[in-house]
């Protein structure tokens, strides 16, 4: 699958390189009114995220609305400004926001900031970086790092990652204090911050408006135990509300289901292939077809590059007559011809296709545990969208085409799932009946979901959005592309496009976090709180995964309240001071147990880097990304969870291990 992606990428990169010369200088930074004046930086948006870039809006659930101008946003190498419209719909910033600041000469070890290996240190009373919930006064856990990808010391970002997502709709305060250089010397605070944090300024002073907003932040920090003396920098930001994050997808879902009523979705079976046992001992029948669903995209048929159609109020709307054709493929196991099979959706991998439902591991899962899996292309993040993804990396303005088309892709999957379980849906056709007329689908036990890689990352959002899925398996999963892209070996070819388009490394970090603000609407990062409320998921993690960073899964598990099945790893396997800090646990000898859970599968791969870089090269050995799904024990655990909601021990009370897949 990745080979196909790279082939398309290579052809497209040639066009990108011709348009954006890698030697082109970035457009000179504008300094419009509205840039953050507190920090000693030429970067308008730093520190980020930041309520300085919001305005009061009584119609927004948070009372705030993001208010970027084109001049504030990073320009690409051709000097093209970004259109801020999609971002300015937000009533706050991403709940998974990585905080970005620029602190020249900063040394985090000398400063004593919490590293990725010791998150607990972030909550020490004397921690040099403090994140504080302004409403509750709760200190928030994080780890801090300097961008290891930066080649220029003066353009190296300080990155502060929340160890679990910030609460939706809450405001957070950030304090940096007693920051030090490599020699242990305390770094002086930016002059503008010292001025704004000092004596009251006259109204005519240029920093007066900023001081007026900063003073309540300093007072609240002081009540939270942070002495204003010694501060290097402080600011605040508001997290987007649940409505702001999920409103678009839930709106198109609700409208589509209202239009559907009690009917089954409209579909056509286009082909039925019965396979003799000699050809395929696991799958007896392959069914393909076309599902017709209402399209909420702004172009007829919703091709790659389209975005949601919106009314004057900015909300998604259906253009009369606009439909989307979702191609689907189903694999019916031989066991279904004896006992009707359970219906399940399968989510494919990175920029892949529905045909991955015929992968060996999915066939094995179907045959061993009597599931019929159906899949449709996850448009927005499917193979046909590769050119749109590359266009988004070349121009920030194009990025909404990725998550907004992905939302339509989720709706397509929701309706395919409804067709699988509706009495007059797929089960009511000859394609899903045995020669003697017996049904091959059991529509009485609900719908399951199983996805791997991208299917795990986006799948959490689908599980949260579908009214028919109560339980799902998220294989080799994580969330928050803004966190994991730097850490993924899959991103390497796309990083080359980003290097050409946004050559400044500090700008790249801002671009990734700006991506995430709108990506939240189309991946699990924006729906994690919904999973925590009323859905159950089983997360399968490959230790040392080269493609989906383990830290992205750990943040997800903390956020949704998934319990870690222990023992997770052999003693000494992890470099962390407290492996899997902050996760609730359930010992293997207390299984079976209900609720969401995370199981770590270890193939012996070396531990991943402690920096925001991918585990590439011989030192990191075998990529275990595909190993869990090829384990019969893992498939058994998945099947029991999907059918009963219980997590069982399949590893004999020991850490789970998976054999490396060649």
């Amino acid at each position: 699958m990745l080979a196909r992606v790279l082939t398309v990428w290579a052809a497209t990169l040639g066009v990108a390189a011709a348009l954006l010369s890698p030697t082109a200088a970035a457009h000179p930074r504008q300094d419009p009114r509205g840039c953050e004046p507190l920090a000693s930086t030429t970067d308008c948006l730093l520190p980020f995220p930041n309520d300085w870039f919001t305005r009061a809006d009584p119609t927004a659930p948070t009372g705030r609305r993001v208010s970027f101008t084109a001049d504030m946003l990073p320009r690409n190498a051709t000097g093209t400004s970004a259109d801020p419209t999609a971002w300015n719909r937000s009533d706050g910033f991403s709940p998974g926001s990585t905080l970005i600041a620029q602190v020249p000469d900063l040394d985090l070890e000398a400063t004593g900031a919490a590293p990725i290996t010791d998150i607990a240190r972030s909550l020490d009373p004397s921690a040099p970086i403090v994140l504080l919930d302004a409403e509750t006064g709760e200190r928030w856990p994080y780890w801090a790092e300097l961008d290891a990808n930066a080649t220029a010391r003066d353009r190296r970002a300080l990155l502060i990652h929340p160890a679990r997502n910030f609460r939706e709709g809450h405001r957070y305060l950030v304090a940096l204090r007693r920051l030090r250089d490599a020699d242990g010397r305390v770094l002086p605070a930016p002059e503008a911050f010292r001025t704004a944090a000092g004596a009251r300024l006259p109204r005519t002073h240029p920093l007066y408006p900023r001081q007026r907003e900063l003073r309540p932040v300093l007072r609240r920090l002081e009540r939270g135990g942070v002495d204003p003396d010694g501060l290097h920098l402080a600011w605040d930001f508001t997290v987007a509300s649940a409505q702001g994050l999920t409103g678009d997808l839930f709106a198109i879902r609700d409208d589509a289901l209202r239009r559907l009523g009690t009917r089954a979705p409209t579909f056509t079976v286009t082909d039925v292939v019965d396979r003799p046992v000699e050809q395929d001992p696991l799958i007896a029948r392959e069914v393909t077809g076309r599902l017709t669903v209402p399209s909420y995209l702004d172009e007829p048929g919703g091709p790659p590059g389209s975005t949601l159609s919106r009314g004057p109020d900015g909300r998604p709307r259906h253009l009369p007559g606009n439909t989307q054709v979702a191609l689907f493929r189903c694999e019916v196991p031989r066991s279904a011809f004896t006992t009707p099979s359970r219906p399940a959706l399968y989510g494919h991998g990175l920029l892949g296709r529905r045909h991955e439902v015929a992968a060996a591991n999915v066939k094995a899962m179907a045959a061993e545990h009597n599931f019929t899996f159906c899949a449709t292309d996850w448009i927005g993040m499917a193979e046909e969208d590769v050119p749109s993804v590359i266009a988004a990396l070349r121009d920030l303005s194009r990025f909404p085409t990725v998550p907004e088309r992905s939302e339509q892709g989720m709706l397509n999957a929701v309706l395919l799932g409804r067709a699988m379980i509706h009495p007059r849906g797929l089960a009511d056709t000859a394609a899903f009946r045995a020669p003697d007329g017996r049904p091959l689908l059991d529509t009485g036990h609900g719908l399951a979901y199983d996805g791997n890689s991208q299917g795990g990352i986006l799948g959490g959002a689908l599980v949260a959005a579908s009214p028919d899925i109560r339980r799902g398996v998220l294989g080799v999963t994580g969330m928050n592309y803004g966190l994991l892209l730097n850490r993924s070996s899959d991103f390497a070819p796309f990083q080359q496009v980003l290097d050409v388009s946004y050559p400044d490394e500090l700008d790249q970090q801002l671009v990734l976090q700006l991506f995430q603000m709108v990506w939240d609407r189309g991946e699990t990062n924006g729906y994690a709180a919904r999973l925590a409320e009323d859905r159950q998921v089983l997360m399968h993690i490959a230790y040392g995964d080269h493609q989906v960073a383990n830290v992205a899964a750990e943040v997800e598990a903390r956020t949704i309240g998934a319990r870690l099945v222990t023992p997770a790893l052999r003693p000494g396997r992890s470099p962390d001071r407290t492996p899997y800090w902050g996760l609730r646990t359930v010992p293997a000898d207390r299984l079976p147990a209900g609720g969401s859970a995370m199981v770590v599968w270890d193939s012996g791969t070396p531990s991943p880097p402690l920096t925001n870089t991918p585990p590439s090269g011989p030192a990191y050995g075998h990529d275990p990304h595909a190993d869990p799904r090829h384990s019969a024990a893992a498939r058994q655990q998945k099947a029991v969870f999907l059918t009963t909601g219980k997590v069982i021990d399949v590893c004999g009370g020991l850490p789970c291990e998976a054999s490396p897949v060649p």
Side-chain angles (χ1 to χ4, degrees):
M1 179 273 297
L2 186 56
R4 296 198 305 269
V5 172
L6 294 178
T7 300
V8 178
W9 161 76
T12 311
L13 181 57
V15 177
L19 293 174
L20 299 172
S21 166
T23 59
H27 191 278
R29 172 66 64 205
Q30 300 290 313
D31 187 23
R33 291 184 61 189
C35 286
E36 169 60 91
L38 291 182
S40 298
T41 175
T42 58
D43 295 84
C44 183
L45 290 181
L46 294 182
F48 183 89
N50 193 330
D51 267 358
W52 182 249
F53 303 108
T54 66
R55 59 179 173 82
D57 182 353
T59 68
T62 64
R64 309 295 303 174
R65 186 74 63 187
V66 173
S67 186
F68 293 141
T69 65
D71 282 332
M72 293 175 181
L73 301 177
R75 294 171 179 253
N76 68 15
T78 65
T80 302
S81 298
D83 179 357
T85 301
W87 286 265
N88 289 350
R89 294 190 185 100
S90 301
D91 63 353
F93 298 91
S94 171
S97 289
T98 291
L99 280 57
I100 306 174
Q102 184 186 15
V103 185
D105 299 321
L106 174 64
D107 186 290
L108 288 176
E109 185 174 357
T111 296
I116 193 172
T117 55
D118 192 4
I119 292 173
R121 199 193 305 176
S122 67
L123 301 180
D124 288 350
S126 60
I129 299 172
V130 176
L131 307 184
L132 190 74
D133 186 317
E135 179 178 334
T136 67
E138 180 182 4
R139 293 272 294 270
W140 210 256
Y142 63 85
W143 77 93
E145 61 189 0
L146 296 174
D147 180 14
N149 302 287
T151 55
R153 289 181 60 85
D154 63 341
R155 302 298 295 164
R156 185 172 58 178
L158 166 62
L159 306 173
I160 305 167
H161 305 284
R164 68 174 181 270
N165 272 11
F166 298 112
R167 288 196 179 96
E168 296 168 351
H170 283 225
R171 186 169 66 96
Y172 287 83
L173 315 177
V174 187
L176 310 183
R177 54 183 179 174
R178 299 186 298 277
L179 305 185
R180 300 179 185 274
D181 64 15
D183 295 324
R185 293 186 294 261
V186 174
L187 297 170
E191 181 179 353
F193 177 76
R194 293 199 304 269
T195 300
R200 189 178 298 274
L201 299 171
R203 291 179 178 271
T204 55
H205 195 285
L207 284 174
Y208 174 79
R210 192 65 184 95
Q211 184 184 66
R212 185 175 55 193
E213 294 196 12
L214 178 63
R215 292 178 75 88
V217 172
L218 299 179
R219 287 195 296 268
R220 185 65 185 89
L221 283 170
E222 188 169 20
R223 291 200 305 274
V226 179
D227 190 338
D229 292 338
L231 284 177
H232 182 92
L233 194 61
W235 73 96
D236 65 334
F237 66 94
T238 298
V239 180
S241 68
Q243 172 63 28
L245 295 165
T246 66
D248 284 356
L249 176 57
F250 287 4
I252 65 174
R253 175 203 63 186
D254 293 347
D255 185 69
L257 292 176
R258 178 185 59 78
R259 293 169 182 271
L260 188 63
T262 60
R263 294 174 290 112
T266 301
F267 65 90
T268 302
V269 172
T270 56
D271 199 14
V272 178
V273 178
D274 287 316
R275 303 196 184 282
V277 67
E278 306 83 41
Q279 181 182 5
D280 192 330
L282 303 178
I283 300 299
R285 180 174 291 177
E286 173 192 303
V287 181
T288 55
R290 300 161 60 91
L291 186 77
T292 302
V293 303
S295 177
Y296 295 84
L297 297 171
D298 61 354
E299 297 182 41
S306 52
T307 56
L308 289 173
S309 173
R310 297 182 184 274
D313 59 0
R315 296 175 181 173
R317 63 175 178 177
H318 175 253
L319 294 177
N322 197 12
T323 60
Q324 189 90 36
V325 174
L327 303 178
F328 64 86
R329 176 171 175 170
C330 303
E331 302 289 318
V332 184
R334 297 195 177 280
S335 54
F337 286 77
T338 301
T339 303
S341 59
R342 290 180 177 268
L345 290 173
Y346 182 74
H348 64 68
L350 177 65
L351 297 168
R353 299 187 297 167
R354 64 194 178 280
H355 301 299
E356 291 175 32
V357 75
N361 64 284
V362 186
K363 287 183 174 183
M365 177 76 174
E368 292 163 1
H369 303 288
N370 200 25
F371 283 93
T372 287
F373 284 101
C374 293
T376 185
D377 293 347
W378 207 312
I379 64 169
M381 289 289 284
E383 185 179 286
E384 66 183 7
D385 295 288
V386 171
S388 295
V389 171
I390 292 177
L393 292 169
R394 289 167 45 193
D395 180 0
L396 186 62
S397 294
R398 297 295 304 157
F399 187 73
T401 64
V402 176
E404 294 195 8
R405 195 164 185 262
S406 295
E407 291 175 62
Q408 176 72 48
M410 289 183 194
L411 176 62
N412 297 352
V414 166
L415 294 180
L416 174 59
R418 177 61 62 89
M420 293 185 74
I421 64 171
H422 197 286
R424 297 194 177 278
L426 295 178
D428 197 36
T429 66
F432 288 89
R433 290 191 178 275
D436 62 4
R438 288 182 296 110
L440 301 178
L441 280 177
D442 178 359
T443 60
H445 289 87
L447 180 68
Y449 175 80
D450 188 4
N452 285 295
S453 194
Q454 178 183 288
I457 298 168
L458 276 63
L462 175 61
V463 172
S466 170
D468 301 319
I469 301 173
R470 306 305 298 178
R471 293 187 289 270
V473 173
L474 308 181
V476 285
T477 188
M479 66 181 189
N480 191 342
Y481 281 106
L483 169 64
L484 67 85
L485 287 182
N486 276 165
R487 291 174 150 84
S488 173
S489 60
D490 282 341
F491 192 59
F494 302 101
Q495 179 66 49
Q496 295 181 46
V497 181
L498 192 62
D499 287 341
V500 170
S501 310
Y502 294 91
D504 182 87
E505 292 153 333
L506 191 52
D507 274 355
Q508 287 185 13
Q509 294 300 327
L510 284 167
V511 166
L512 291 178
Q513 293 310 309
L514 289 165
F515 281 171
Q516 192 57 46
M517 286 180 65
V518 292
W519 221 336
D520 280 347
R521 303 164 193 166
E523 65 118 318
T524 299
N525 196 64
Y527 298 80
R530 308 288 79 71
L531 292 180
E533 290 173 354
D534 58 2
R535 296 291 192 272
Q536 295 179 348
V537 294
L538 174 62
M539 302 169 62
H540 272 185
I541 309 306
Y543 185 72
D545 197 326
H546 290 196
Q547 298 177 52
V548 180
N550 290 166
V551 291
E554 293 166 31
V555 173
E556 179 175 357
R558 292 187 195 99
T559 302
I560 69 174
R563 292 188 290 175
L564 175 71
V565 174
T566 59
L569 294 171
R570 298 188 306 274
R573 187 77 169 92
S574 169
D576 293 356
R577 181 177 180 183
T578 304
Y580 302 106
W581 177 90
L583 282 175
R584 297 188 303 148
T585 61
V586 55
D589 61 9
R590 296 290 183 90
L591 300 178
S596 295
M598 184 172 89
V599 178
V600 179
W601 293 84
D602 191 352
S603 304
T605 293
S607 297
L610 302 180
T611 53
N612 63 324
T613 53
S616 56
Y620 292 101
H622 162 78
D623 181 3
H625 186 66
D627 296 347
R629 72 191 86 166
H630 285 279
S631 163
R635 294 195 296 269
Q636 179 189 11
Q637 189 178 61
K638 293 197 300 181
V640 172
F641 178 80
L642 290 174
T643 54
T644 70
K646 300 292 185 181
V647 180
I648 63 170
D649 176 26
V650 293
C651 302
L654 300 173
C656 288
E657 297 183 350
S659 299
V661 176

